[in-house]
Amino acid sequence: MKLTFLQKRKKGLKQAALLFLALGISTVSLAFDRSITGVVTASEDNTPMVGVSVTIKGTTNGTITDIDGKYSLNSPDNGTLVFSFIGYTTKEVAIGNQTLINVSLDSDSEALDEIVVVGYGARRKSDITGAVSSVKSEELTAFPVLDAAQALQGRAAGVVVQSNNGGEPGAPINIKIRGNTSISANSSPLIVVDGFVGGTMPQPNDIQSLEVLKDASATAIYGSRGSNGVVLVTTKKGRNGKLTVELNSTYSIQDVANRLDLLNADEFASYQNQIRANNDISTPYPQGTADTDWQDQIYKSGSTQNHQVSFSGGSDKMNFYASGNYFNQDGIVVNSGFERATFLTNIDAQATKKLKLGVNLFGSRGTKDGVTTQSDGSVTVGGDDVISLAMRFAPDKPVQDSNGNFTTNDAIGDEVDNPFAVATARVDETTINNFRSNVYANYDILDNLTFKTTLGLSSQNLTRGVYQPSTLKITASGVGGRARITDAQRATILSENYLTYTNEIGKGDLTLLAGYSYQKNTTKAFSSAGTGFLSDAFSYYALGTATGILQPSSSLSVVEIQSQFGRVNYDFDDRYLLTATVRRDGASNFAANRKYAIFPSAAIGWRISNEGFFNPDSKISNLKLRASYGVTGNPSISPYQSLARVASLYASRNGQTVFAITPDQPANPDLKWESSYQANVGLDMGLINNRINLSLDYYNIDTKDLILGNNGIPEYFGFSNDEILTNLGEINNRGFEISLNSRNIVEGDFTWSTDFNLSKNKNKVVSLINDADLFGNAAPSYFSHDRSYVLRVGEEVGLFWGYQYAGVYQGGDLPAGTQTLTGGVAGDPLFTDTDGNGEITEADRTIIGNPNANFTYGFTNNFSYKNFDLNVFFQGSQGGDIFNMTNVQLNNGDANTTRDYFNNAWSSSNTDTDQPRVGNNSNREISSRFVEDGSYLRLKNVALGYNLPTRITDKLKVGGVRLSFSAQNLLTFTKYSGLDPEVNYFGADGDNNTSSNTIQGFDFGNYPTVKSFSFNLNVKI
């Protein structure tokens, strides 16, 4: 880890200044006789060292070196100066009668081995036997984000991060570690914040360290919840010394990253007239008088502001860290935005010599103004979502007619509300309040035996109100307005208690851990809706005045998990490493016979570079081999799925509506958790005195006892639920990961370092219920097919399912093995006649694409010169198809279309093309015609920073000032013709993380990705 700390010393010096200012080294008033000055340099290259602690031994008087390695302080004649810096040996120098003392510090290879947080403890990185990725705090704050999870994208090998809806303000973040390990259960990792399991991710500026645990050796300590990986977040703590105040302020200007090239009004009229001519309609298209660019109507410039103030300090007995944050994003789609206020407080107190107490408090309140996206085409949202409506809607229509009413698309296709009306008139407000408190007590029973107990409480209250006014003709005018209010409350209580024993045994170090955990989650939800309002003025706040009350709903669910866990770490002679973990979990959401399960794991490591036979003069400065195997579980399903249940319904009896019940599902006394059997082999290598560090990992994950919906129960059994959960099926994920960081140049005031990671994951369906294909749909409800992807044994998850496109029919004899749809003529699309029966039917549908990427990667270059630093971050994905459902809609003829299709469509004078004629007979078919390569390389962030020199900050009487300018999503290199290759449409089957297990690579109506330019100010006092 020599590289890591040298980077912090040289790179713009932001990180070193933050670290040592946080130490709060203070000055006390003593009798000092003289002023001592000097320069501190590194012995390996004689470069100045910033942030070195210089103190007078036996006192609290001290200072730190500036950007040029210089220091100055007053000292008595008989004093001794102590020079210390993380990663270097501490040096003491007697002052005597000297006034100039220059010092050169030597690297300390042991101190360079950074500490990495693991479950229920911490380890030296060199002693880690599992697959763990650490993300530096400065990487999390490289550019402004709402959630620290967003900043993980491209930073850690094997971790894929994506917003659930593009650049939508307040959209949740989807994280996948080493692929999808489930089909019906959640595949998101477990988030642990300051020991609180299932915590809310804090603001990036509040995070001290973030570790991603990936293999079973690292995650098995969390047992039933570790199958999808674990993200461990440690927030900042106070340090002994004077009060430190820090201000971070960022303002961003944002715009849509890309737009579609659509037809204007005249081109659109010509397009519609060609469609009519091709379909033997003599009546010309009735062109309107307007020329409206609907993308201009819904898109606008947006902005983001993020302001944070933090306070930290303390003494030998107590320290604290507190921060307050305000975030506000004005979205690039009209009427969309998100606002949130957050606070965080950490207090740690040394109550007695043996007892340490602490409390962590977190709270936030967020308000989201939403516009409808990710629509399934239902009438309650105007016929489609705002983004898709802007693509579909006729450009010759004005926003409002001569009477001031919103226009509708009534000349072509289905009549729908216009996108500006849906975006501005429809109200969709969500308020989320989060609170978390976690208190702990740590008691040293003996010198090598400690006991820690924690008690955590958290709550989340969500209220969402939606109102569609009567001014929306298609959505709500027929019912006099439509309102719905949903309220959900989630409360969690967590108690964890564990003993830690450490001891030296001969040449080895032994650590034993044993503990007990209990967690209870209670969720309450209520929803009510109504129609028919006298006025739209009161939005969704006047449900009591509705003339039509829709069926309300309410629910209560409780999930309890209790666990016992233990871990053994044994390091022999700093060469041979052993980790063994076992956890027994019991979860209430499984069947009575299967509530408990045991999840073991073991890992070994060999530090080859510490062996006697290893050549000390070798260019290889560090070499470690590690291997692990273990079992983890996934309990992420809704409760009560194993119980016999009934469903409510309304029936008629003697002409009266009565409440009734019907059997919903039978009991399954053996429903249990999915289990992932994980193997990992890794190699860590340091070259040229750790100037280059390389980590390689290969893994194999077999997830068995998949929780799947069994739709094979005969209907005559009378159960209304046709997806009764059972444990049948298996999927496999295997792949490799590469992480590389290097210190390329360290010459005088100039440094250049690089971080690179690449990961490849290959998944395969091993078995399903009766090994039969499972189909699902990701298309809006008005598309012609309800099957758009398939799960098939032997294939990857979520493959596209449809017709194989074979080009354009030129007339005359059909090419061998092809057919058109019924009634096809010249210019219509050809499809492969898979079953050879002479016609295109459902039986001809086959696998037409694979959304799973071949590999993903990210690389960062950091440059620094004196007070300047530059960060350039690229992120990308290679392979992985995209199904462009947007083009399916735009090529159908009952909407606007792209200029590319309009200019290249087949006609009698343009036969050399693969684009069918306009107004063809395809009827929104799901076919390979719309499957495209989704590879991309994105310039994710460019940031230029400047640290004011100390001569200026001293005059300002501040500890440091940093100014920076950055640009996000500036360039994207891709062949994909759609808005953005980072697609995430979940379609008619849902819009959550569980759906993302199988619905991948579909593009339709997503909130666009944003391009941002940001300005940041950081001040330390």
Side-chain angles (χ1 to χ4, degrees), residues 466-487:
V466 178
Y467 185 74
Q468 288 110 351
S470 56
T471 53
L472 294 175
K473 178 181 177 181
I474 306 304
T475 304
S477 65
V479 294
R482 187 191 307 268
R484 176 174 292 276
I485 297 179
T486 301
D487 185 80

Side-chain angles (χ1 to χ4, degrees), residues 14 136-145 151 204-207:
K14 172 184 176 183
K136 306 167 189 174
S137 59
E138 60 267 22
E139 291 178 311
L140 297 174
T141 56
F143 56 92
V145 292
N205 285 319
D206 286 329
I207 296 177

Side-chain angles (χ1 to χ4, degrees), residues 998-1014:
T998 52
I999 304 177
Q1000 305 172 82
F1002 290 93
D1003 182 12
F1004 189 78
N1006 299 319
Y1007 196 104
T1009 296
V1010 298
K1011 178 167 53 178
S1012 303
F1013 298 93
S1014 304

Side-chain angles (χ1 to χ4, degrees), residues 831-881:
F831 305 103
T832 301
D833 184 11
T834 305
D835 62 1
N837 69 348
E839 58 180 345
I840 299 300
T841 65
E842 289 292 312
D844 293 307
R845 303 183 73 189
T846 186
I847 292 172
I848 58 173
N850 182 357
N852 298 282
N854 294 331
F855 58 86
T856 58
Y857 57 95
F859 61 96
T860 304
N861 283 284
N862 294 299
F863 307 88
S864 69
Y865 179 72
K866 293 187 176 179
N867 289 18
F868 291 92
D869 58 85
L870 176 67
N871 173 280
V872 183
F873 171 41
F874 285 90
Q875 175 263 332
S877 174
Q878 182 62 38
D881 294 324

Side-chain angles (χ1 to χ4, degrees), residues 43 110 160 181 243 291 301 346 413 574 658 697 771 794 961 972 977:
S43 61
E110 289 298 322
V160 176
T181 57
L243 175 67
D291 188 5
S301 294
N346 287 326
D574 208 21
V658 296
D697 279 276
D771 286 343
V961 177
T972 300
S977 66

Side-chain angles (χ1 to χ4, degrees), residues 301-317:
S301 294
S303 65
T304 294
Q305 52 180 313
N306 190 19
H307 311 290
Q308 181 173 25
V309 178
S310 64
F311 309 85
S312 63
S315 64
D316 293 339
K317 295 296 184 181

Side-chain angles (χ1 to χ4, degrees), residues 29-44:
S29 177
L30 295 173
F32 299 116
D33 299 323
R34 71 180 68 197
S35 175
I36 307 297
T37 61
V39 177
V40 181
T41 58
S43 61
E44 71 268 20

Side-chain angles (χ1 to χ4, degrees), residues 382-404:
D384 224 330
D385 64 90
V386 170
I387 310 300
S388 297
L389 286 171
M391 302 170 187
R392 294 176 58 184
F393 214 83
D396 61 335
K397 288 280 189 178
V399 175
Q400 293 175 311
D401 61 23
S402 58
N403 297 319

